[in-house]
């Protein structure tokens, strides 16, 4: 709807590489943790009562609950996917289950049982279109969190600054679509290469606490 591309095949989210296409949607999720934004929409459908403060605090706490474990889980899946689709040799010295065990040793706190056969149900990378691309889940999180941090840097309570950054977000991330490489579009918006710092902060995994 906000595209400025004339060619339909690269308008909107079309023609955007898989590891960046989720940026806009995941970016919007960050606003649900911003008090003013959430309280402006989270109201009882009959009484109009605003979301109770204790529920809001539980929402914030849930955001970082076991964030480390969940991040390791995604890193394990992504690493295993890339290992199987780039280095695994069918009929070689290792079975796919051996590879799973090897990757798990460096990505999991508690290694899987020897008889674990999780791979038999990992349909994402065998029948779901994510072959060698499962990492895109985590990379899209990095991009979306870093994009949102531009608004945090400007000041979420500064409406004028938020509008200015929002306009820039609209003119780059939302308007350019697949007509330009996602990495170039991101740099055009953010002014630098993406950084994982914001995602670590939002997840409660860095020393700097996320702003509410």
């Amino acid at each position: 709807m906000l595209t400025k591309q004339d060619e339909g095949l690269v308008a909107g989210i079309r023609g955007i590489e898989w590891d960046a296409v989720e940026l806009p949607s995941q970016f919007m999720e960050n606003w649900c943790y911003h008090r003013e934004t959430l309280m402006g929409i989270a109201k009882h459908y009959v009484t109009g009562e605003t979301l109770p403060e204790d529920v809001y605090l539980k929402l914030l706490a849930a955001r970082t609950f076991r964030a480390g474990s969940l991040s390791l889980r995604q890193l394990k899946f992504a690493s295993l996917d890339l290992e199987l689709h780039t280095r695994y040799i069918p009929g070689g010295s290792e079975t796919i289950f051996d590879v799973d065990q090897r990757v798990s040793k460096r990505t999991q706190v508690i290694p899987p049982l020897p008889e674990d056969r999780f791979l038999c149900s990992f349909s994402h990378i065998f029948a779901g279109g994510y072959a060698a691309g499962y990492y895109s889940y985590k990379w899209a999180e990095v991009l979306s969190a870093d994009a949102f941090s531009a608004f945090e840097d400007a000041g979420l309570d500064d409406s004028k600054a938020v509008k200015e950054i929002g306009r820039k977000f609209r003119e780059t991330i939302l308007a350019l679509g697949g007509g330009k490489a996602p990495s170039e579009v991101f740099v055009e918006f953010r002014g630098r290469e993406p950084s994982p710092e914001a995602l670590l902060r939002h997840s409660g995994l860095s020393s700097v606490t996320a702003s509410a």
Side-chain angles (χ1 to χ4, degrees), residues 61-141:
R63 186 183 195 185
T64 57
F65 180 69
R66 293 197 65 191
S69 297
L70 293 174
S71 292
L72 280 177
R73 180 175 182 268
Q74 290 300 95
L75 291 175
K76 180 263 176 85
F77 291 167
S79 298
L80 180 58
D81 173 34
L82 288 173
E83 189 77 13
L84 289 174
H85 284 96
T86 59
R87 298 179 183 176
Y88 172 68
I89 301 175
S93 59
E94 283 187 311
T95 67
I96 60 173
F97 304 114
D98 292 331
V99 176
D100 186 7
Q101 291 285 336
R102 177 162 53 80
V103 171
S104 295
K105 286 180 180 178
R106 72 171 193 270
T107 56
Q108 291 188 232
V109 177
I110 301 176
L113 296 172
E115 62 271 23
D116 183 278
R117 290 297 181 266
F118 153 75
L119 275 173
C120 293
S121 63
F122 197 9
S123 58
H124 276 75
I125 68 171
F126 296 119
Y130 279 88
Y134 194 88
Y135 76 92
S136 62
Y137 275 109
K138 207 64 188 172
W139 185 241
E141 285 185 52

Side-chain angles (χ1 to χ4, degrees), residues 171-209:
E171 296 297 321
T172 53
I173 304 296
L174 302 180
L176 299 179
K180 199 171 187 178
S183 57
E184 294 179 25
V185 174
F186 186 89
V187 170
E188 193 170 327
F189 166 65
R190 201 67 178 89
R192 58 164 173 72
E193 296 289 330
S195 165
E197 188 279 328
L199 178 59
L200 292 172
R201 177 165 49 81
H202 293 166
S203 300
L205 298 176
S206 69
S207 58
V208 182
T209 56

